[in-house]
Amino acid sequence: MIMLASLIPYFAFIYIIYYLFRKSRREGKIKISGSNINCCVGKQYPGGPLRPFSPVFYEDAKLKTAPWAAPRVSDDILETLPKNPTVEENGQTTGVHGRGCLGKYGPNYAADPVISRINPDTGEIEFALIQRDETPATWAIPGGMVDPGEKSSITAKREFNEEAGGNLDNTSIIPVELYSGYVDDWRNTDHAWMHTTVFHWHDANCSSLGKMKLKSDGVETKKAEWIPYNDIKSGKYPMFADHARYIKMAVNNIQLF
Ligand code: BGC
């Protein structure tokens, strides 16, 4: 008994350390997932060890007035809405409940146009990529969100024309659908996630699309350039979300030509 009693200070000490550790994590979590998140400038939810122990509810303030956002649902309905399929599959929360920065509960649809060419001077495969103002640390396929009632193949063309200054409207090259499904995107929450459809146009002779001069729109995009695949592969151009995966799929597709 006396032995046990003498251990109490040790247990108390361990408990205090544990309590302080949990407290600091909780505070970090609340600070990051509260008003400090500014989705508009591309800040990310905490990843890895900074993910909260238990999910926090977060919906960006801009969703209250954004014309593209769905109305907010009440908390009791929230739990009955479709759940992020990876959360269901892995039994592991994203750390965020609600929509986070996304406009809709459930899937948020995007479309991505992958445009490639073989550079006639170097013989290398090159891709039309952009650097966004919001996410300057990464390069991206010039895709975007599907407007209500729009077909994803139309979105892909529209976004390319807008963001990379090209013209996909009159090309005779027929695109191949490379992928349609879930995106590993930092904005995903337990109740809202990104879903994209990826289309691939390849100009093997660099005779039409490959001749396009790319141009950023100067608002959403900072740069629009033809980037050699080898430089993407080597990591010189870190890619946004799952985009490196789609580029790889396009390379496999080119090899079938
Ligand atoms: C981007 C797409 C991207 C999607 C999923 C959208 O905001 O415009 O290019 O594939 O998010 O990450």
Side-chain angles (χ1 to χ4, degrees):
M1 202 55 183
I2 295 172
M3 265 281 280
L4 270 181
S6 66
L7 288 176
I8 287 174
Y10 294 104
F11 285 127
F13 178 71
I14 289 167
Y15 179 77
I16 288 168
I17 298 289
Y18 174 72
Y19 173 80
L20 290 176
F21 172 71
R22 287 292 300 254
K23 189 166 174 279
S24 69
R25 293 284 297 261
R26 270 200 304 271
E27 280 167 359
K29 164 190 90 186
I30 287 160
K31 203 167 134 224
I32 294 164
S33 61
S35 57
N36 275 19
I37 289 187
N38 184 344
C39 307
C40 305
V41 294
K43 271 207 190 145
Q44 307 209 351
Y45 293 137
L50 276 178
R51 286 276 178 176
F53 281 106
S54 57
V56 284
F57 181 87
Y58 178 72
E59 297 212 349
D60 197 78
K62 72 173 184 284
L63 299 181
K64 286 189 193 132
T65 50
W68 43 264
R72 164 103 158 78
V73 301
S74 66
D75 291 351
D76 41 329
I77 293 184
L78 190 62
E79 286 308 317
T80 67
L81 293 176
K83 270 243 175 99
N84 183 328
T86 60
V87 172
E88 292 289 88
E89 226 172 273
N90 311 331
Q92 217 182 3
T93 171
T94 60
V96 181
H97 274 183
R99 283 174 292 177
C101 306
L102 293 173
K104 297 187 177 59
Y105 301 97
N108 285 251
Y109 292 101
D112 283 299
V114 177
I115 319 293
S116 59
R117 70 177 186 186
I118 306 290
N119 183 316
D121 300 327
T122 61
E124 277 196 77
I125 306 173
E126 294 181 343
F127 288 94
L129 298 181
I130 56 163
Q131 195 181 33
R132 286 211 169 86
D133 200 41
E134 277 183 7
T135 46
T138 53
W139 285 73
I141 297 163
M145 306 303 289
V146 176
D147 283 343
E150 191 177 42
K151 274 176 75 178
S152 53
S153 55
I154 302 293
T155 311
K157 288 186 192 178
R158 176 176 59 71
E159 289 288 340
F160 183 80
N161 298 351
E162 283 170 14
E163 296 191 335
N167 187 352
L168 280 183
D169 291 330
N170 302 318
T171 178
S172 57
I173 299 177
I174 314 245
V176 172
E177 185 179 313
L178 288 180
Y179 176 76
S180 191
Y182 186 86
V183 183
D184 186 11
D185 186 293
W186 65 270
R187 292 165 294 183
N188 294 344
T189 70
D190 289 5
H191 299 107
W193 60 94
M194 288 303 310
H195 177 293
T196 194
T197 306
V198 183
F199 298 92
H200 181 205
W201 284 259
H202 178 57
D203 186 358
N205 309 315
C206 208
S207 55
S208 56
L209 291 183
K211 283 195 178 144
M212 280 184 300
K213 292 258 173 297
L214 306 177
K215 197 171 168 298
S216 69
D217 66 6
V219 186
E220 275 186 48
T221 55
K222 279 157 77 87
K223 288 181 184 166
E225 290 173 22
W226 288 102
I227 306 288
Y229 174 56
N230 283 335
D231 287 343
I232 301 169
K233 207 166 64 174
S234 71
K236 192 169 161 196
Y237 292 85
M239 300 292 293
F240 178 81
D242 269 356
H243 290 194
R245 194 156 74 88
Y246 310 144
I247 295 287
K248 185 83 204 2
M249 287 177 187
V251 170
N252 292 339
N253 187 43
I254 292 167
Q255 275 149 13
L256 300 176
F257 273 78

mmCIF file of all heavy atoms in Angstrom, residues 110-112 132 141-145 183 185 187 194 196 240-241 243 246, ligand 1:
data_model
loop_
_atom_site.group_PDB
_atom_site.id
_atom_site.type_symbol
_atom_site.label_atom_id
_atom_site.label_comp_id
_atom_site.label_asym_id
_atom_site.label_seq_id
_atom_site.Cartn_x
_atom_site.Cartn_y
_atom_site.Cartn_z
ATOM 1 N N ALA A 110 -15.533 18.786 -60.482
ATOM 2 C CA ALA A 110 -14.585 19.596 -61.261
ATOM 3 C C ALA A 110 -14.289 18.847 -62.558
ATOM 4 O O ALA A 110 -14.699 17.689 -62.732
ATOM 5 C CB ALA A 110 -13.296 19.799 -60.474
ATOM 6 N N ALA A 111 -13.600 19.521 -63.479
ATOM 7 C CA ALA A 111 -13.148 18.858 -64.706
ATOM 8 C C ALA A 111 -11.746 19.359 -65.018
ATOM 9 O O ALA A 111 -11.430 20.532 -64.766
ATOM 10 C CB ALA A 111 -14.087 19.182 -65.858
ATOM 11 N N ASP A 112 -10.905 18.463 -65.504
ATOM 12 C CA ASP A 112 -9.505 18.813 -65.763
ATOM 13 C C ASP A 112 -9.087 18.457 -67.185
ATOM 14 O O ASP A 112 -9.150 17.289 -67.583
ATOM 15 C CB ASP A 112 -8.599 18.077 -64.760
ATOM 16 C CG ASP A 112 -8.641 18.729 -63.397
ATOM 17 O OD1 ASP A 112 -8.259 19.905 -63.315
ATOM 18 O OD2 ASP A 112 -9.065 18.082 -62.432
ATOM 19 N N ARG A 132 -1.314 28.876 -60.212
ATOM 20 C CA ARG A 132 -2.429 29.718 -59.746
ATOM 21 C C ARG A 132 -1.951 30.755 -58.742
ATOM 22 O O ARG A 132 -1.045 30.494 -57.947
ATOM 23 C CB ARG A 132 -3.493 28.857 -59.059
ATOM 24 C CG ARG A 132 -4.308 28.057 -60.005
ATOM 25 C CD ARG A 132 -5.737 27.845 -59.467
ATOM 26 N NE ARG A 132 -6.562 27.291 -60.517
ATOM 27 C CZ ARG A 132 -6.643 25.992 -60.773
ATOM 28 N NH1 ARG A 132 -6.005 25.130 -60.027
ATOM 29 N NH2 ARG A 132 -7.391 25.567 -61.771
ATOM 30 N N ILE A 141 -3.055 21.437 -63.588
ATOM 31 C CA ILE A 141 -3.782 21.293 -64.847
ATOM 32 C C ILE A 141 -4.837 22.410 -64.810
ATOM 33 O O ILE A 141 -5.461 22.618 -63.758
ATOM 34 C CB ILE A 141 -4.448 19.897 -64.896
ATOM 35 C CG1 ILE A 141 -3.376 18.806 -64.885
ATOM 36 C CG2 ILE A 141 -5.364 19.774 -66.110
ATOM 37 C CD1 ILE A 141 -3.914 17.434 -64.527
ATOM 38 N N PRO A 142 -5.036 23.131 -65.920
ATOM 39 C CA PRO A 142 -5.941 24.285 -65.855
ATOM 40 C C PRO A 142 -7.424 23.906 -65.823
ATOM 41 O O PRO A 142 -8.185 24.229 -66.735
ATOM 42 C CB PRO A 142 -5.601 25.091 -67.112
ATOM 43 C CG PRO A 142 -4.846 24.179 -67.990
ATOM 44 C CD PRO A 142 -4.356 23.023 -67.208
ATOM 45 N N GLY A 143 -7.835 23.232 -64.769
ATOM 46 C CA GLY A 143 -9.226 22.786 -64.647
ATOM 47 C C GLY A 143 -10.027 23.691 -63.741
ATOM 48 O O GLY A 143 -9.529 24.709 -63.267
ATOM 49 N N GLY A 144 -11.265 23.291 -63.487
ATOM 50 C CA GLY A 144 -12.106 24.099 -62.604
ATOM 51 C C GLY A 144 -13.412 23.408 -62.291
ATOM 52 O O GLY A 144 -13.655 22.272 -62.701
ATOM 53 N N MET A 145 -14.260 24.129 -61.589
ATOM 54 C CA MET A 145 -15.516 23.559 -61.119
ATOM 55 C C MET A 145 -16.560 23.542 -62.241
ATOM 56 O O MET A 145 -16.644 24.472 -63.040
ATOM 57 C CB MET A 145 -16.070 24.378 -59.950
ATOM 58 C CG MET A 145 -15.106 24.573 -58.800
ATOM 59 S SD MET A 145 -14.475 23.057 -58.074
ATOM 60 C CE MET A 145 -15.928 22.463 -57.249
ATOM 61 N N VAL A 183 -11.001 12.843 -55.645
ATOM 62 C CA VAL A 183 -9.692 13.517 -55.703
ATOM 63 C C VAL A 183 -9.124 13.625 -54.292
ATOM 64 O O VAL A 183 -9.848 13.999 -53.362
ATOM 65 C CB VAL A 183 -9.830 14.969 -56.244
ATOM 66 C CG1 VAL A 183 -8.469 15.629 -56.375
ATOM 67 C CG2 VAL A 183 -10.585 15.001 -57.553
ATOM 68 N N ASP A 185 -7.792 15.787 -52.261
ATOM 69 C CA ASP A 185 -7.664 17.245 -52.259
ATOM 70 C C ASP A 185 -7.680 17.733 -50.813
ATOM 71 O O ASP A 185 -8.465 17.231 -49.993
ATOM 72 C CB ASP A 185 -8.859 17.812 -53.036
ATOM 73 C CG ASP A 185 -8.774 19.312 -53.238
ATOM 74 O OD1 ASP A 185 -8.866 20.066 -52.232
ATOM 75 O OD2 ASP A 185 -8.665 19.747 -54.393
ATOM 76 N N ARG A 187 -8.980 20.177 -49.494
ATOM 77 C CA ARG A 187 -10.231 20.784 -49.047
ATOM 78 C C ARG A 187 -11.269 19.754 -48.615
ATOM 79 O O ARG A 187 -12.313 20.117 -48.086
ATOM 80 C CB ARG A 187 -10.816 21.646 -50.167
ATOM 81 C CG ARG A 187 -9.995 22.876 -50.467
ATOM 82 C CD ARG A 187 -10.376 23.491 -51.788
ATOM 83 N NE ARG A 187 -10.040 22.602 -52.905
ATOM 84 C CZ ARG A 187 -10.209 22.918 -54.188
ATOM 85 N NH1 ARG A 187 -10.695 24.088 -54.507
ATOM 86 N NH2 ARG A 187 -9.874 22.077 -55.138
ATOM 87 N N MET A 194 -13.900 16.534 -53.260
ATOM 88 C CA MET A 194 -13.731 16.851 -54.677
ATOM 89 C C MET A 194 -13.835 15.578 -55.509
ATOM 90 O O MET A 194 -13.355 14.511 -55.121
ATOM 91 C CB MET A 194 -12.365 17.501 -54.925
ATOM 92 C CG MET A 194 -12.212 18.919 -54.422
ATOM 93 S SD MET A 194 -13.426 20.085 -55.073
ATOM 94 C CE MET A 194 -13.327 19.790 -56.834
ATOM 95 N N THR A 196 -13.405 14.704 -59.755
ATOM 96 C CA THR A 196 -13.093 15.306 -61.044
ATOM 97 C C THR A 196 -13.190 14.312 -62.190
ATOM 98 O O THR A 196 -13.123 13.095 -61.987
ATOM 99 C CB THR A 196 -11.688 15.949 -61.040
ATOM 100 O OG1 THR A 196 -11.564 16.792 -62.195
ATOM 101 C CG2 THR A 196 -10.569 14.930 -61.075
ATOM 102 N N PHE A 240 -0.338 20.236 -57.908
ATOM 103 C CA PHE A 240 -1.506 20.451 -57.047
ATOM 104 C C PHE A 240 -2.304 19.143 -56.894
ATOM 105 O O PHE A 240 -2.468 18.399 -57.870
ATOM 106 C CB PHE A 240 -2.374 21.526 -57.726
ATOM 107 C CG PHE A 240 -3.645 21.851 -57.015
ATOM 108 C CD1 PHE A 240 -3.653 22.719 -55.935
ATOM 109 C CD2 PHE A 240 -4.862 21.321 -57.441
ATOM 110 C CE1 PHE A 240 -4.837 23.039 -55.289
ATOM 111 C CE2 PHE A 240 -6.048 21.632 -56.799
ATOM 112 C CZ PHE A 240 -6.030 22.494 -55.717
ATOM 113 N N ALA A 241 -2.817 18.907 -55.690
ATOM 114 C CA ALA A 241 -3.708 17.757 -55.399
ATOM 115 C C ALA A 241 -3.207 16.480 -56.089
ATOM 116 O O ALA A 241 -2.054 16.097 -55.942
ATOM 117 C CB ALA A 241 -5.143 18.093 -55.765
ATOM 118 N N HIS A 243 -2.865 15.959 -59.319
ATOM 119 C CA HIS A 243 -2.594 16.214 -60.735
ATOM 120 C C HIS A 243 -1.400 15.439 -61.302
ATOM 121 O O HIS A 243 -1.389 15.103 -62.488
ATOM 122 C CB HIS A 243 -2.469 17.724 -60.992
ATOM 123 C CG HIS A 243 -3.777 18.442 -60.858
ATOM 124 N ND1 HIS A 243 -4.011 19.721 -61.284
ATOM 125 C CD2 HIS A 243 -4.969 18.017 -60.332
ATOM 126 C CE1 HIS A 243 -5.268 20.066 -61.038
ATOM 127 N NE2 HIS A 243 -5.851 19.049 -60.443
ATOM 128 N N TYR A 246 -2.680 12.270 -62.714
ATOM 129 C CA TYR A 246 -3.364 12.379 -64.008
ATOM 130 C C TYR A 246 -2.345 12.555 -65.147
ATOM 131 O O TYR A 246 -2.558 12.060 -66.251
ATOM 132 C CB TYR A 246 -4.366 13.543 -64.021
ATOM 133 C CG TYR A 246 -5.305 13.554 -62.829
ATOM 134 C CD1 TYR A 246 -5.715 14.737 -62.242
ATOM 135 C CD2 TYR A 246 -5.759 12.354 -62.284
ATOM 136 C CE1 TYR A 246 -6.557 14.732 -61.137
ATOM 137 C CE2 TYR A 246 -6.597 12.341 -61.187
ATOM 138 C CZ TYR A 246 -6.976 13.531 -60.604
ATOM 139 O OH TYR A 246 -7.797 13.517 -59.509
HETATM 140 C C1 BGC B 1 -9.395 22.504 -59.637
HETATM 141 C C2 BGC B 1 -9.195 21.234 -60.438
HETATM 142 C C3 BGC B 1 -8.888 20.120 -59.474
HETATM 143 C C4 BGC B 1 -9.997 20.009 -58.470
HETATM 144 C C5 BGC B 1 -9.720 18.917 -57.467
HETATM 145 C C6 BGC B 1 -10.488 22.311 -58.622
HETATM 146 O O1 BGC B 1 -10.599 23.455 -57.825
HETATM 147 O O2 BGC B 1 -9.727 23.579 -60.478
HETATM 148 O O3 BGC B 1 -8.117 21.409 -61.317
HETATM 149 O O4 BGC B 1 -8.690 18.887 -60.106
HETATM 150 O O5 BGC B 1 -10.162 21.232 -57.784
HETATM 151 O O6 BGC B 1 -8.558 19.124 -56.743
#
